[in-house]
């Protein structure tokens, strides 16, 4: 979407009434005046008046042909969050319940107290998904909001540019794809590429520009050839060349490891016609004129994508040897392809009418189904990326019904997609008439039949490691939660006790009401038994529970203020000032013996404090260490700091929770070797109850920043469920 944005109310109303002549322009006019006054005096980071942003968001929504309440909500979407005195109640009173609900669905949660930025992001997206179930326009406003923020990202500091661009590429671009709003999706991807790989982006622009004239000459020639044939058939059509957007070229170069010179299909031509019959007639002409590239024909008309996209795609080779793609669709299909879900809204007698949206948004109901079982925000985001945004495959039931699944899905995923009862009683599967194992990946076009038994005892716990969709995983967990509650409670309690012992934490202390209650609220539990049952059923991990309990203890207990040390108990080494071989400077005590606490293994970059021990000098702890807060002898604490010029290596400890599999530990050790990380110690244990492996590693690093980098790299692996510093 590169159209010029509106700069005033008249331009906005002109676009609205062009698509909706009977629209309530007075509602938009009132929202315009209200938002302009509410944001008066506020500036964006670029120095521009803040009101430019909501006006631009409303402009994008108007060009998506959305209705007056949606455009009004676009104008008001930041008022509750950023303007003093504007509440949800005020919006509802002034503009009605419909507009208020839209604004509430988009409002971010930054005013709430989260333990981390990741929690805030995850909960904001969770709220948006829930609001989508009530009104799909919520996410269209959010996409417009993010699009304008991406267009003006240049005013943000580099670190924010990278973070926002990555979040947009991970969440919002795939969401636009799922909703079929390709105009926004493609602009998202190109803008993200500009900030995530600026050198690659500029290099790609230069290379595309160098051969543009040559490609345009070739495409003009093939368009002229096709036009002659279509005129002979008296088909009404429009034809145009369409350059591929930069990110699609970049992605092909990265994924297929191809240099730019080997990317041939840089241009496509698009043919728009009146009827489906004309689409197939044009396809026949195209295949008559040019040689078809094998395995590159896709019929999305007879088998539409879940986001309602319909078109015929074929790749052919011109007489000069240039491969190019031809897309053929009707005018109505093109409108849906450009505007997606937005194209299905109509303004009629003051009410929103959707064209069979319920069936077309099955994937949204899937999210709502399993999000209730996903207590942890990070797991929710991870599931969202895998289940919602992966490539689709299309398979058939024995009755010929088309079922869409994410790529890599297997017969168990298919069974639970049909019905939870089918999945729970599944004992085998046939694909294309042949019996296959339940972990066999399905392919587009497969006919799948599930073999069930009425007396089946239910799903195997091992299936949790096999299934690809969160829907199937959620249904399996539901079964065990319901059927094996007592066993899950007992098993979960044991897992939490073992994890607390592994983290050198006292569970009896951590389970105090002031530490436990925030955790129960976060995961929507009412009792400790419910928490244990969820751990035993695999809903959340014991490591997540214990780590968050320890965090609550740290946040609740104020650190003690150091006082004068007990000097008589500090053993002396040779006199000197500054840091010793450990790189630690002890305030007022040069030359004392220094040891690192094994309970928290501090690293350069951590805020540290020293503790005077009898006969062993000073033991250095992280200020966040639980033992610092638990100490009852403040006289022994002394100020400590890191030497700026000291260069040595330190040991940092991390814990990784992975899905257990063959050669897992060997693969992770090889990966660490590949990224040049030295492993000093390793300890691994398997939890048979949920088929996870907990790996404790001691790594040699220079500082906290290097350990954080290693954690981020390992966290990108698909087999890693959770990872944290111990």
């Amino acid at each position: 979407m590169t159209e010029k944005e509106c700069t005033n109310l008249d331009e906005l109303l002109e676009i609205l009434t062009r698509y909706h002549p009977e629209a309530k322009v007075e509602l938009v006019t009132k929202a315009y005046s209200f938002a302009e006054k509410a944001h008066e005096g506020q500036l964006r980071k670029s120095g521009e008046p803040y009101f430019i942003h909501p006006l631009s968001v409303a402009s994008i929504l108007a060009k998506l042909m959305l209705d007056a309440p949606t455009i009004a909500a676009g104008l008001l979407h930041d008022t509750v969050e950023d303007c003093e005195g504007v509440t949800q109640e005020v919006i509802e009173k002034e503009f009605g319940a419909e507009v208020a609900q839209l604004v509430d669905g988009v409002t971010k949660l930054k005013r709430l107290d989260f333990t981390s930025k990741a929690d805030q992001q995850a909960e904001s997206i969770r709220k948006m998904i829930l609001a989508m179930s009530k009104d799909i326009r919520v996410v269209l406003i959010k996409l417009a909001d993010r699009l304008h923020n991406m267009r003006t990202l240049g005013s943000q500091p580099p670190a924010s540019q990278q973070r926002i661009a990555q979040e947009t590429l991970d969440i919002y671009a795939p969401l636009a794809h799922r909703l079929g709003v390709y105009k926004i999706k493609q602009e998202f991807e190109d803008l993200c590429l500009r900030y995530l790989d600026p050198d690659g982006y500029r290099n790609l622009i230069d290379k595309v520009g160098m051969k543009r004239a040559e490609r345009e000459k070739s495409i003009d020639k093939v368009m002229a050839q096709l036009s002659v044939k279509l005129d002979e058939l008296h088909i009404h059509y429009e034809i145009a060349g369409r350059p591929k957007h930069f990110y699609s070229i970049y992605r092909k170069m990265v994924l297929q490891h191809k240099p730019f010179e080997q990317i041939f299909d840089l241009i496509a031509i698009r043919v728009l016609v009146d009827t489906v019959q004309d689409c197939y007639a044009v396809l026949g002409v195209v295949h008559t004129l040019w040689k078809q590239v094998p395995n590159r024909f896709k019929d999305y008309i007879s088998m539409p994508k879940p986001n309602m996209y319909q078109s015929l795609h074929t790749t052919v080779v011109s007489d000069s040897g240039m491969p190019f793609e031809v897309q053929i669709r009707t005018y109505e299909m093109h409108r849906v392809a450009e505007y997606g879900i937005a194209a299905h809204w109509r303004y009629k007698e003051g009410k929103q009418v959707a064209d069979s949206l319920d069936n077309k948004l099955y994937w949204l109901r899937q999210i709502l189904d399993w999000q209730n079982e996903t207590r942890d925000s990070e797991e929710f985001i991870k599931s969202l990326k895998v289940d919602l945004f992966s490539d689709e495959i299309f398979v058939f039931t024995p009755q010929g019904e088309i079922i869409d699944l994410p790529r890599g899905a297997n017969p168990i995923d298919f069974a639970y997609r049909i019905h939870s009862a089918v999945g729970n009683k599944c004992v085998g599967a046939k694909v294309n008439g042949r019996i296959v194992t339940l972990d066999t990946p399905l392919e587009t076009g497969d006919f799948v039949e599930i073999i069930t038994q009425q007396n089946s005892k239910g799903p195997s716990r091992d299936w949790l490691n096999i299934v690809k969709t969160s829907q199937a995983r959620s249904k399996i967990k539901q079964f065990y939660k319901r059927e094996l509650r007592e066993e899950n409670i007992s098993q979960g309690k044991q897992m939490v006790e073992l994890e607390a012992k592994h983290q050198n934490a006292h569970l009896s202390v951590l389970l105090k009401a002031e530490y436990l209650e925030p955790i129960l609220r976060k995961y929507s539990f009412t009792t400790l038994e419910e928490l244990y049952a969820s751990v035993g059923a695999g809903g959340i991990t014991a490591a997540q529970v214990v780590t968050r309990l320890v965090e609550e203890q740290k946040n609740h207990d104020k650190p003690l203020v150091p006082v004068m040390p007990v000097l008589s108990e500090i053993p002396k080494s040779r006199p000197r000032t500054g840091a010793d071989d450990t790189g630690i400077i002890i305030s007022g005590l040069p030359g004392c013996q220094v040891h690192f606490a094994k309970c928290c293994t501090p690293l350069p970059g951590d805020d540290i404090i020293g503790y005077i021990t009898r006969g062993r000098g000073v033991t250095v702890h992280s200020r966040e260490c639980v033992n610092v807060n638990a100490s009852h002898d403040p006289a022994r604490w002394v100020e400590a700091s890191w030497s700026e010029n000291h260069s040595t290596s330190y040991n940092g400890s991390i814990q990784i929770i992975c899905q257990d599999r063959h050669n897992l530990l060997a693969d992770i050790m090889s990966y660490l070797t590949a990224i040049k990380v030295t492993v000093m110690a390793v300890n691994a244990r398997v939890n048979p109850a949920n088929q996870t492996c907990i790996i404790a590693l001691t790594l040699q690093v220079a500082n906290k920043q290097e350990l954080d980098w290693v954690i981020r790299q390992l966290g990108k692996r698909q087999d890693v469920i959770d990872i944290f510093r111990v």
Side-chain angles (χ1 to χ4, degrees):
M1 291 186 62
T2 56
E3 299 100 328
K4 182 176 177 291
E5 292 164 359
C6 299
T7 58
N8 55 56
L9 178 60
D10 290 339
E11 291 179 3
L12 184 63
L13 294 179
E14 189 276 325
I15 298 172
L16 171 62
T17 53
R18 185 192 314 163
Y19 299 118
H20 302 291
E22 304 300 321
K24 294 179 180 177
V25 295
E26 64 276 8
L27 180 68
V28 176
T29 302
K30 183 178 179 181
Y32 184 98
S33 300
F34 185 96
E36 187 176 33
K37 183 178 179 180
H39 290 296
E40 188 175 5
Q42 294 180 354
L43 300 176
R44 305 195 82 205
K45 289 192 176 180
S46 61
E48 298 174 310
Y50 191 89
F51 182 65
I52 289 175
H53 171 65
L55 177 57
S56 298
V57 170
S59 171
I60 293 168
L61 294 169
K63 289 167 185 174
L64 286 174
M65 298 183 286
L66 287 161
D67 61 347
T70 310
I71 295 170
L75 288 164
L76 299 166
H77 78 275
D78 274 339
T79 55
V80 174
E81 187 176 335
D82 295 335
C83 301
E84 190 174 347
V86 180
T87 64
Q88 197 64 32
E89 291 73 20
V90 170
I91 297 295
E92 184 167 355
K93 181 181 177 182
E94 294 291 330
F95 300 97
E98 183 181 9
V99 173
Q101 286 172 4
L102 292 173
V103 172
D104 183 52
V106 183
T107 300
K108 295 192 287 287
L109 305 183
K110 70 180 183 183
R111 292 184 179 177
L112 300 182
D113 182 24
F114 293 104
T115 56
S116 69
K117 185 73 177 177
D119 272 354
Q120 181 177 336
Q121 179 217 33
E123 290 302 330
S124 295
I125 293 169
R126 186 196 290 269
K127 182 181 181 185
M128 182 180 68
I129 294 292
L130 288 171
M132 284 169 61
S133 68
K134 299 175 183 176
D135 197 323
I136 199 69
R137 293 172 294 175
V138 167
V139 78
L140 295 172
I141 299 170
K142 186 62 180 176
L143 291 176
D145 174 44
R146 179 53 65 108
L147 180 59
H148 185 251
N149 285 335
M150 285 301 301
R151 288 176 176 175
T152 56
L153 198 57
S155 59
Q156 294 278 354
S160 296
Q161 290 175 350
Q162 291 267 327
R163 175 181 58 79
I164 294 169
Q166 190 64 59
E167 181 183 90
T168 301
L169 192 63
D170 288 345
I171 300 293
Y172 292 96
L175 193 52
H177 169 76
R178 264 295 197 173
L179 293 170
V181 194
Y182 284 99
K183 291 174 76 69
I184 288 182
K185 179 233 183 191
Q186 292 179 355
E187 187 173 353
F188 269 155
E189 291 176 338
D190 284 350
L191 288 169
C192 291
L193 179 59
R194 180 188 300 178
Y195 292 104
L196 293 174
D197 186 359
D199 292 337
Y201 179 77
R202 285 190 292 268
N203 185 42
L204 187 57
I205 288 177
D206 292 341
K207 288 183 175 178
V208 169
M210 286 169 59
K211 293 192 175 183
R212 177 172 292 154
E214 179 184 332
R215 283 196 306 276
E216 287 179 352
K217 183 178 178 181
S218 299
I219 212 72
D220 286 344
K221 182 178 178 181
V222 298
M223 285 168 57
Q225 286 180 269
L226 182 56
S227 296
V228 170
K229 291 294 184 182
L230 296 182
D231 288 338
E232 291 176 2
L233 294 176
H234 304 291
I235 293 176
H236 175 253
Y237 67 92
E238 288 182 21
I239 186 170
R242 184 185 66 85
K244 294 227 173 188
H245 69 295
F246 293 124
Y247 183 76
S248 67
I249 301 171
Y250 176 88
R251 193 166 182 267
K252 186 172 288 189
M253 292 168 63
V254 171
L255 292 182
Q256 299 180 12
H257 305 290
K258 286 185 176 181
F260 178 80
E261 290 70 26
Q262 292 183 22
I263 306 293
F264 298 111
D265 53 340
L266 296 176
I267 285 218
I269 64 172
R270 181 178 292 147
V271 185
L272 305 182
V273 293
D274 292 327
T275 66
V276 171
Q277 185 178 354
D278 288 345
C279 289
Y280 289 100
V282 173
L283 179 69
V285 172
V286 169
H287 286 169
T288 302
L289 283 173
W290 301 290
K291 182 181 289 187
Q292 182 184 356
V293 176
N295 303 318
R296 292 298 301 272
F297 169 64
K298 295 174 183 176
D299 185 347
Y300 294 120
I301 291 180
S302 63
M303 196 180 296
K305 290 187 176 184
N307 61 13
M308 301 164 291
Y309 179 88
Q310 287 184 286
S311 186
L312 298 175
H313 291 193
T314 187
T315 302
V316 292
V317 181
S318 71
D319 299 335
S320 61
M322 178 188 73
F324 64 97
E325 185 182 59
V326 182
Q327 298 178 356
I328 310 164
R329 61 182 73 142
T330 67
Y331 290 96
E332 175 61 18
M333 290 174 188
H334 180 61
R335 191 174 65 84
V336 174
E338 292 288 288
Y339 299 105
I341 201 75
H344 286 262
W345 284 96
R346 291 290 181 273
Y347 193 86
K348 184 179 180 182
E349 296 177 357
K351 295 181 180 179
Q352 295 299 335
V353 181
D355 302 328
S356 306
L357 285 182
D358 198 43
N359 291 331
K360 292 167 182 172
L361 290 176
Y362 178 84
W363 57 271
L364 177 57
R365 295 202 306 277
Q366 278 184 274
I367 300 174
L368 298 172
D369 187 28
W370 53 254
Q371 73 88 25
N372 290 320
E373 297 298 314
T374 309
R375 304 284 185 176
D376 187 77
S377 298
E378 293 177 15
E379 184 185 348
F380 173 73
I381 290 295
K382 193 175 290 186
S383 297
L384 195 66
K385 291 178 182 178
V386 171
D387 210 39
L388 180 58
F389 303 144
S390 55
D391 293 336
E392 303 100 347
I393 60 169
F394 302 92
V395 296
F396 295 92
T397 67
Q399 292 75 35
E401 181 186 354
I402 299 172
I403 301 294
D404 62 282
L405 292 166
R407 187 168 300 282
N410 55 48
I412 304 174
D413 296 295
F414 176 88
Y416 280 103
R417 177 71 160 78
I418 300 300
H419 196 279
S420 57
V422 176
N424 290 340
K425 296 184 181 300
C426 170
V427 294
K430 290 182 180 180
V431 175
N432 301 325
R434 297 176 58 188
I435 293 179
V436 298
T437 58
L438 291 175
D439 61 351
T440 301
L442 300 175
E443 299 290 342
T444 291
D446 284 344
F447 280 81
V448 186
E449 179 183 352
I450 299 300
I451 303 169
T452 60
Q453 272 186 5
Q454 285 302 114
N455 60 352
S456 169
K457 294 181 179 180
S460 164
R461 281 187 182 271
D462 292 339
W463 288 5
L464 290 171
N465 303 316
I466 297 173
V467 295
K468 300 298 181 184
T469 62
S470 295
Q471 182 188 25
R473 188 172 290 108
S474 170
K475 295 299 183 184
I476 295 168
K477 288 178 181 178
Q478 280 181 19
F479 177 86
Y480 280 101
K481 184 183 296 184
R482 183 175 61 252
E483 300 293 325
L484 303 171
R485 175 175 166 78
E486 294 304 319
E487 182 182 328
N488 287 335
I489 292 173
S490 175
Q491 195 167 59
K493 183 178 181 181
Q494 291 179 21
M495 292 163 70
V496 171
E497 288 172 348
L498 284 171
E499 183 59 34
K501 186 177 180 181
H502 186 71
Q503 292 195 31
N504 296 318
H506 299 289
L507 190 60
S508 58
V509 175
L510 294 180
L511 292 179
K512 288 181 178 179
E514 58 264 38
Y515 309 146
L516 179 61
E517 285 177 5
I519 309 300
L520 296 179
R521 282 199 307 271
K522 176 178 176 57
Y523 293 114
S524 302
F525 297 124
T526 55
T527 65
L528 179 59
E529 280 193 347
E530 288 184 13
L531 179 66
Y532 284 147
S534 181
V535 173
I540 54 176
T541 66
Q544 288 171 331
V545 172
V546 175
T547 301
R548 292 190 184 279
L549 284 170
V550 170
E551 287 176 359
E552 284 297 328
Q553 185 189 39
K554 290 178 186 175
N555 295 335
H556 190 273
D557 298 339
K558 294 181 179 178
L560 298 170
V561 179
V563 296
M564 286 298 294
V566 186
L567 298 177
S568 60
E569 296 184 2
I570 304 177
K572 299 284 183 179
S573 58
R574 62 184 183 278
R576 59 190 162 173
T577 59
D580 66 358
D581 292 339
T582 61
I584 298 293
I585 300 172
I586 303 298
S587 178
L589 300 172
C592 66
Q593 295 179 12
V594 174
H595 306 276
F596 288 108
K598 293 181 179 179
C599 52
C600 55
T601 56
L603 295 172
D606 289 328
D607 194 9
I608 55 174
I609 188 170
Y611 184 79
I612 301 168
T613 56
R614 291 182 174 86
R616 296 190 67 243
V618 176
T619 302
V620 177
H621 293 257
S622 164
R623 282 187 185 270
E624 296 184 352
C625 177
V626 291
N627 290 322
V628 173
N629 296 324
S631 170
H632 299 289
D633 194 355
R636 293 182 177 274
W637 293 105
V638 60
E639 290 290 347
S641 60
W642 299 97
S643 168
E644 292 183 2
N645 301 320
H646 195 80
S647 59
T648 188
S649 295
Y650 300 85
N651 289 342
S653 298
I654 63 173
Q655 184 164 294
I656 315 172
I657 302 171
C658 305
Q659 290 289 348
D660 189 34
R661 60 173 173 79
H662 184 61
N663 281 338
L664 171 67
L665 185 60
D667 288 348
I668 287 180
M669 297 301 286
S670 298
Y671 179 76
L672 289 169
T673 301
I675 62 174
K676 297 182 171 56
V677 175
T678 301
V679 179
M680 304 300 292
V682 60
N683 182 26
R685 54 194 173 93
V686 175
N687 185 344
N690 58 6
Q691 291 296 302
T692 58
C693 181
I694 301 173
I695 304 172
L697 293 170
T698 301
L699 309 176
Q700 192 176 79
V701 293
N703 49 41
K704 177 180 180 289
Q705 289 72 26
E706 185 176 338
L707 186 65
D708 289 343
W709 177 83
V710 175
I711 289 173
R712 286 196 300 273
Q713 301 311 304
L714 287 169
K716 295 176 183 177
R717 293 176 59 92
Q718 289 189 346
D719 46 16
V720 172
I721 299 171
D722 199 3
I723 181 170
F724 49 87
R725 180 179 170 188
V726 178

